[in-house]
PDB file of all heavy atoms in Angstrom:
ATOM      1  N   SER O  23       5.092  20.343 -29.788  1.00 34.00           N
ATOM      2  CA  SER O  23       5.546  19.278 -30.664  1.00 34.00           C
ATOM      3  C   SER O  23       5.340  19.682 -32.112  1.00 34.00           C
ATOM      4  O   SER O  23       4.561  20.550 -32.435  1.00 34.00           O
ATOM      5  CB  SER O  23       4.761  18.006 -30.359  1.00 34.00           C
ATOM      6  OG  SER O  23       4.844  17.102 -31.416  1.00 34.00           O
ATOM      7  N   LEU O  63      -5.058  32.979 -42.100  1.00 82.00           N
ATOM      8  CA  LEU O  63      -4.158  32.696 -40.989  1.00 82.00           C
ATOM      9  C   LEU O  63      -4.654  33.278 -39.676  1.00 82.00           C
ATOM     10  O   LEU O  63      -4.206  32.864 -38.602  1.00 82.00           O
ATOM     11  CB  LEU O  63      -2.763  33.248 -41.300  1.00 82.00           C
ATOM     12  CG  LEU O  63      -2.052  32.619 -42.507  1.00 82.00           C
ATOM     13  CD1 LEU O  63      -0.684  33.251 -42.694  1.00 82.00           C
ATOM     14  CD2 LEU O  63      -1.911  31.119 -42.324  1.00 82.00           C
ATOM     15  N   PRO O 101      -5.810  20.369 -64.621  1.00 48.00           N
ATOM     16  CA  PRO O 101      -7.002  21.225 -64.727  1.00 48.00           C
ATOM     17  C   PRO O 101      -6.996  22.391 -63.749  1.00 48.00           C
ATOM     18  O   PRO O 101      -7.719  23.352 -63.929  1.00 48.00           O
ATOM     19  CB  PRO O 101      -8.140  20.251 -64.438  1.00 48.00           C
ATOM     20  CG  PRO O 101      -7.514  19.157 -63.634  1.00 48.00           C
ATOM     21  CD  PRO O 101      -6.119  19.024 -64.145  1.00 48.00           C
ATOM     22  N   ARG O 110     -13.812  25.903 -50.442  1.00 67.00           N
ATOM     23  CA  ARG O 110     -14.134  27.046 -51.302  1.00 67.00           C
ATOM     24  C   ARG O 110     -14.642  26.557 -52.651  1.00 67.00           C
ATOM     25  O   ARG O 110     -14.131  26.922 -53.701  1.00 67.00           O
ATOM     26  CB  ARG O 110     -12.904  27.930 -51.494  1.00 67.00           C
ATOM     27  CG  ARG O 110     -12.516  28.639 -50.198  1.00 67.00           C
ATOM     28  CD  ARG O 110     -11.335  29.559 -50.387  1.00 67.00           C
ATOM     29  NE  ARG O 110     -11.090  30.323 -49.171  1.00 67.00           N
ATOM     30  CZ  ARG O 110     -10.064  31.145 -49.004  1.00 67.00           C
ATOM     31  NH1 ARG O 110      -9.192  31.312 -49.985  1.00 67.00           N
ATOM     32  NH2 ARG O 110      -9.901  31.799 -47.880  1.00 67.00           N
ATOM     33  N   GLU O 216      -2.546  -7.737 -38.038  1.00 81.00           N
ATOM     34  CA  GLU O 216      -3.411  -8.558 -38.885  1.00 81.00           C
ATOM     35  C   GLU O 216      -4.864  -8.544 -38.414  1.00 81.00           C
ATOM     36  O   GLU O 216      -5.772  -8.840 -39.183  1.00 81.00           O
ATOM     37  CB  GLU O 216      -2.888  -9.996 -38.912  1.00 81.00           C
ATOM     38  CG  GLU O 216      -1.529 -10.145 -39.569  1.00 81.00           C
ATOM     39  CD  GLU O 216      -1.555  -9.768 -41.037  1.00 81.00           C
ATOM     40  OE1 GLU O 216      -2.578 -10.002 -41.696  1.00 81.00           O
ATOM     41  OE2 GLU O 216      -0.553  -9.208 -41.527  1.00 81.00           O
ATOM     42  N   HIS O 378      32.204  15.592 -47.341  1.00 84.00           N
ATOM     43  CA  HIS O 378      31.788  16.221 -46.097  1.00 84.00           C
ATOM     44  C   HIS O 378      31.755  15.160 -44.991  1.00 84.00           C
ATOM     45  O   HIS O 378      31.762  13.965 -45.267  1.00 84.00           O
ATOM     46  CB  HIS O 378      30.414  16.880 -46.241  1.00 84.00           C
ATOM     47  CG  HIS O 378      29.294  15.907 -46.409  1.00 84.00           C
ATOM     48  ND1 HIS O 378      29.085  15.200 -47.565  1.00 84.00           N
ATOM     49  CD2 HIS O 378      28.315  15.490 -45.551  1.00 84.00           C
ATOM     50  CE1 HIS O 378      28.031  14.418 -47.434  1.00 84.00           C
ATOM     51  NE2 HIS O 378      27.552  14.567 -46.222  1.00 84.00           N
ATOM     52  N   VAL O 407      34.799   1.714 -37.880  1.00 96.00           N
ATOM     53  CA  VAL O 407      35.291   2.642 -38.896  1.00 96.00           C
ATOM     54  C   VAL O 407      36.811   2.621 -38.976  1.00 96.00           C
ATOM     55  O   VAL O 407      37.392   2.800 -40.053  1.00 96.00           O
ATOM     56  CB  VAL O 407      34.779   4.068 -38.585  1.00 96.00           C
ATOM     57  CG1 VAL O 407      35.491   5.101 -39.430  1.00 96.00           C
ATOM     58  CG2 VAL O 407      33.274   4.157 -38.810  1.00 96.00           C
ATOM     59  N   GLY O 421      36.930  10.271 -33.315  1.00 96.00           N
ATOM     60  CA  GLY O 421      37.681  10.004 -32.093  1.00 96.00           C
ATOM     61  C   GLY O 421      37.651  11.177 -31.131  1.00 96.00           C
ATOM     62  O   GLY O 421      37.615  10.994 -29.910  1.00 96.00           O
ATOM     63  N   ARG O 456       2.883  -6.230 -18.063  1.00 41.00           N
ATOM     64  CA  ARG O 456       1.580  -5.725 -18.490  1.00 41.00           C
ATOM     65  C   ARG O 456       1.505  -4.210 -18.378  1.00 41.00           C
ATOM     66  O   ARG O 456       2.099  -3.606 -17.509  1.00 41.00           O
ATOM     67  CB  ARG O 456       0.451  -6.343 -17.646  1.00 41.00           C
ATOM     68  CG  ARG O 456       0.491  -7.848 -17.575  1.00 41.00           C
ATOM     69  CD  ARG O 456       0.391  -8.473 -18.947  1.00 41.00           C
ATOM     70  NE  ARG O 456      -0.890  -8.195 -19.546  1.00 41.00           N
ATOM     71  CZ  ARG O 456      -1.222  -8.632 -20.740  1.00 41.00           C
ATOM     72  NH1 ARG O 456      -0.385  -9.342 -21.465  1.00 41.00           N
ATOM     73  NH2 ARG O 456      -2.398  -8.342 -21.254  1.00 41.00           N
ATOM     74  N   VAL O 461      -3.634   4.841 -20.961  1.00 41.00           N
ATOM     75  CA  VAL O 461      -4.226   6.064 -21.497  1.00 41.00           C
ATOM     76  C   VAL O 461      -3.952   7.241 -20.576  1.00 41.00           C
ATOM     77  O   VAL O 461      -3.844   8.370 -21.004  1.00 41.00           O
ATOM     78  CB  VAL O 461      -5.745   5.873 -21.687  1.00 41.00           C
ATOM     79  CG1 VAL O 461      -6.390   7.165 -22.130  1.00 41.00           C
ATOM     80  CG2 VAL O 461      -6.008   4.775 -22.695  1.00 41.00           C
TER      81      VAL O 461
END
Side-chain angles (χ1 to χ4, degrees):
S23 161
L63 297 180
R110 292 182 174 175
E216 295 296 326
H378 69 287
V407 168
R456 308 301 295 180
V461 175

